[in-house]
Amino acid sequence: MQVMVDFCVVPLGVGVSVSKYVAECQRVLAASGLSYQMHPYGTVVEGDWDAVFAVLRQCHERVHAQGVARISTSLRLGTRTDRVQTMADKMESVREELARDESKPEPR
Amino acid sequence: MQVMVDFCVVPLGVGVSVSKYVAECQRVLAASGLSYQMHPYGTVVEGDWDAVFAVLRQCHERVHAQGVARISTSLRLGTRTDRVQTMADKMESVREELARDESKPEPR
Amino acid sequence: MQVMVDFCVVPLGVGVSVSKYVAECQRVLAASGLSYQMHPYGTVVEGDWDAVFAVLRQCHERVHAQGVARISTSLRLGTRTDRVQTMADKMESVREELARDESKPEPR
Amino acid sequence: MQVMVDFCVVPLGVGVSVSKYVAECQRVLAASGLSYQMHPYGTVVEGDWDAVFAVLRQCHERVHAQGVARISTSLRLGTRTDRVQTMADKMESVREELARDESKPEPR
C-alpha cells in the first residue's frame, strides 16, 4: 500500500532551536531513497507504507541518539485505492484549478 | 521502542457520517490486545512501535475494504527514552498539578 | 459557526515534563465556560469558533508567560453545516455501531 | 502575537478529488495579503495570530459555501517569544546544518 505522509518531529527539552534534529531526519530521508520534500513546518514523504514508517521510526531513533529524551511528532497520512497520486500530482491538480481563474472573462 | 499514538481516521467521499468507519477501527484495536482509549476526536493507543503501526495500517486496510477509496488520517506520536509513561500516567500528572490549586490558601 | 477542536500544546526547551503547562491550559479552559474533555494526548473543546480560538490563543499566551519561549501545537478541527454534533454525540454514534456487533447471531 | 500555521483542509462527503476546495483556500490566502506557501499535503501561512485564524475561518466558510457539509482540518501552529522566525528562516536553518555535512573531511 502506497502512503503519503507529512510529518514534523518536535524534540522536547533540548532548547528552542531544533534545526539540528530536523537536519538529522533529512539525512535519514536522503539515505532512504524515498521521494520527499521539506517545507517550513514539516516534510512530505511518499512510498510504500512499511518503507515510510520504517524511515519515521529511524528518525525517532536517530534523534533520541542525539540526546533527545522525548519527541512529539505530528503527522498526516493519506492512502487511496482509486489511483496513484504523487506529491507532484497533488500540487498540479490545485494549480490547474487556479489556472482556470485566469482564463475567466470576469474576475472572481 | 514504546510509542503513544493519537489518531483520527477521516474517510473521504462516503458521506458526512463516519461512525461506521471509526467503529471498524475500534474493532481492529480491540482485537490487537493493545491498550487504547477512544475520545470525541480520535483514539489514543500505546504499545510497541511496530505493533501500533501494524494496527494503524490494518485500520486503513479495513476501512478501504468497506468501500472507502481515500483516507486522510491525522496523528500525534510520542516516544521517550527517559522512562515509560502510560496514558494513565499522563492524565495523572496533569491532575496532580491541578489538585495543588485546590490546596492553596489563595485562589489563582 | 460551531467548531470542535482537539489540541495538544507542546512546549519546547523546558524539559521533558510538560504537565505543568498542560495544567495551565486546563485552567484556561475551566475559566472559559466552554465544554471540554482532556484525554491522554490532548484536549477536545467545542463551542463558537471565535470563543474556541480565543481560548487557544490564551493557552499560548499563558504558557509563554510561564517562561516557555517556543510552543508547537497540533490540532484537528471540525465544522459541519448539516447539524450540530456534540462530543457526546460523536462518542455515542460509534458506540451504537459497536453495540450492533453484540446483537448479531454470528461473530464478525 | 506572530504565528506560523501549517494546515490541511479535508472536505467530507464530496468525492475523493479535493483540489477544487484546496484551490478555494488558496484564493482566500492570496486575497489575505499574508505570506503563505502550498506544499503537497497542506499550506503554511505566517502572520499575526488573529489575521491567520480569520483566514482559516474564511477557508472553512468558503468551502462550506461550495456545498461541503463537513470539514475536518488538521494543523500545526507555532509561536515563539524569543525571536521572529519566518518560513524562509526555518528552511535556511536546516539547510545550513546540512551544508556542514559537505564540508566535513569524513562522510557521516
Side-chain angles (χ1 to χ4, degrees):
Chain A
M1 184 161 56
Q2 285 288 112
V3 66
M4 189 179 298
V5 167
D6 175 33
F7 71 104
C8 174
V9 170
V10 179
L12 279 81
V14 288
V16 292
S17 176
V18 302
S19 54
K20 177 182 165 188
Y21 311 102
V22 175
E24 189 69 4
C25 292
Q26 298 298 307
R27 288 181 198 110
V28 171
L29 286 160
S32 73
L34 293 171
S35 177
Y36 67 100
Q37 185 181 318
M38 187 174 71
H39 62 76
Y41 214 145
T43 299
V44 188
V45 54
E46 62 187 357
D48 172 70
W49 179 289
D50 290 337
V52 168
F53 283 99
V55 158
L56 186 67
R57 181 181 172 147
Q58 208 184 344
C59 284
H60 271 242
E61 287 169 345
R62 292 269 288 269
V63 172
H64 281 309
Q66 284 180 310
V68 177
R70 188 173 189 180
I71 304 171
S72 191
T73 290
S74 70
L75 60 81
R76 306 176 177 121
L77 70 120
T79 56
R80 55 194 305 175
T81 54
D82 57 334
R83 67 184 183 98
V84 174
Q85 188 190 37
T86 65
M87 294 191 285
D89 293 336
K90 286 184 77 173
M91 298 289 277
E92 187 54 27
S93 296
V94 177
R95 283 181 186 133
E96 277 171 20
E97 283 287 337
L98 294 172
R100 282 175 210 160
D101 296 357
E102 286 157 34
S103 57
K104 285 179 184 165
E106 309 267 311
R108 297 182 63 89
Chain B
M1 184 162 56
Q2 285 288 112
V3 66
M4 189 179 298
V5 167
D6 175 33
F7 72 103
C8 174
V9 170
V10 179
L12 278 80
V14 288
V16 292
S17 177
V18 302
S19 55
K20 177 183 164 187
Y21 311 102
V22 175
E24 188 69 4
C25 292
Q26 298 299 306
R27 290 182 198 109
V28 170
L29 286 159
S32 73
L34 293 171
S35 176
Y36 67 99
Q37 184 181 320
M38 187 174 70
H39 62 75
Y41 215 145
T43 299
V44 189
V45 54
E46 64 188 355
D48 172 69
W49 178 289
D50 290 337
V52 168
F53 283 99
V55 159
L56 185 67
R57 181 182 172 146
Q58 208 185 342
C59 284
H60 271 242
E61 287 168 345
R62 293 270 288 270
V63 172
H64 280 308
Q66 284 180 310
V68 177
R70 189 172 188 178
I71 304 169
S72 192
T73 291
S74 71
L75 60 81
R76 309 177 174 120
L77 70 119
T79 56
R80 55 195 305 175
T81 54
D82 56 334
R83 67 184 182 97
V84 174
Q85 188 190 37
T86 65
M87 295 191 286
D89 293 337
K90 286 184 78 173
M91 298 289 277
E92 187 54 28
S93 295
V94 177
R95 284 182 186 133
E96 277 172 19
E97 284 287 337
L98 293 172
R100 282 175 211 159
D101 296 357
E102 286 156 36
S103 57
K104 284 178 185 167
E106 309 269 311
R108 296 182 65 87
Chain C
M1 185 161 57
Q2 284 289 111
V3 66
M4 189 179 296
V5 167
D6 175 33
F7 72 102
C8 175
V9 170
V10 179
L12 278 81
V14 287
V16 293
S17 176
V18 302
S19 55
K20 177 182 164 188
Y21 311 102
V22 174
E24 188 69 4
C25 292
Q26 298 299 307
R27 287 180 199 111
V28 170
L29 286 159
S32 73
L34 294 171
S35 177
Y36 67 99
Q37 185 180 318
M38 187 173 71
H39 62 75
Y41 214 146
T43 299
V44 188
V45 54
E46 63 187 356
D48 171 70
W49 178 290
D50 290 337
V52 168
F53 283 99
V55 158
L56 185 68
R57 181 181 172 146
Q58 208 184 344
C59 284
H60 271 243
E61 287 168 345
R62 291 270 288 270
V63 172
H64 281 309
Q66 284 180 311
V68 177
R70 188 172 188 180
I71 304 170
S72 190
T73 290
S74 70
L75 59 83
R76 306 175 178 122
L77 70 119
T79 56
R80 56 193 305 175
T81 55
D82 56 334
R83 67 182 184 98
V84 174
Q85 189 189 36
T86 64
M87 293 191 287
D89 293 336
K90 287 184 77 171
M91 297 290 277
E92 187 54 28
S93 295
V94 177
R95 283 181 186 135
E96 278 171 19
E97 283 288 336
L98 294 172
R100 282 176 211 160
D101 295 357
E102 286 156 36
S103 57
K104 284 179 185 166
E106 308 269 310
R108 295 182 65 87
Chain D
M1 184 162 56
Q2 284 289 112
V3 66
M4 188 178 298
V5 167
D6 174 33
F7 72 103
C8 174
V9 170
V10 180
L12 278 81
V14 288
V16 293
S17 176
V18 302
S19 55
K20 177 182 164 188
Y21 311 102
V22 175
E24 189 69 4
C25 292
Q26 297 299 306
R27 289 182 197 110
V28 171
L29 286 160
S32 74
L34 293 171
S35 177
Y36 67 100
Q37 185 181 318
M38 188 174 70
H39 62 76
Y41 215 145
T43 299
V44 190
V45 53
E46 63 188 356
D48 172 70
W49 179 289
D50 290 337
V52 168
F53 283 100
V55 159
L56 186 68
R57 182 181 171 148
Q58 207 184 345
C59 284
H60 271 242
E61 288 169 343
R62 291 270 288 270
V63 172
H64 281 309
Q66 284 180 310
V68 177
R70 189 173 188 178
I71 305 170
S72 191
T73 291
S74 70
L75 59 81
R76 307 177 176 120
L77 70 119
T79 56
R80 55 194 307 175
T81 54
D82 56 335
R83 68 182 182 99
V84 174
Q85 188 189 36
T86 65
M87 295 191 286
D89 293 337
K90 286 184 78 172
M91 298 289 277
E92 187 54 28
S93 295
V94 177
R95 284 182 185 133
E96 278 172 20
E97 283 288 336
L98 294 172
R100 282 174 210 159
D101 296 357
E102 287 157 35
S103 58
K104 283 178 186 167
E106 308 268 313
R108 294 181 64 88

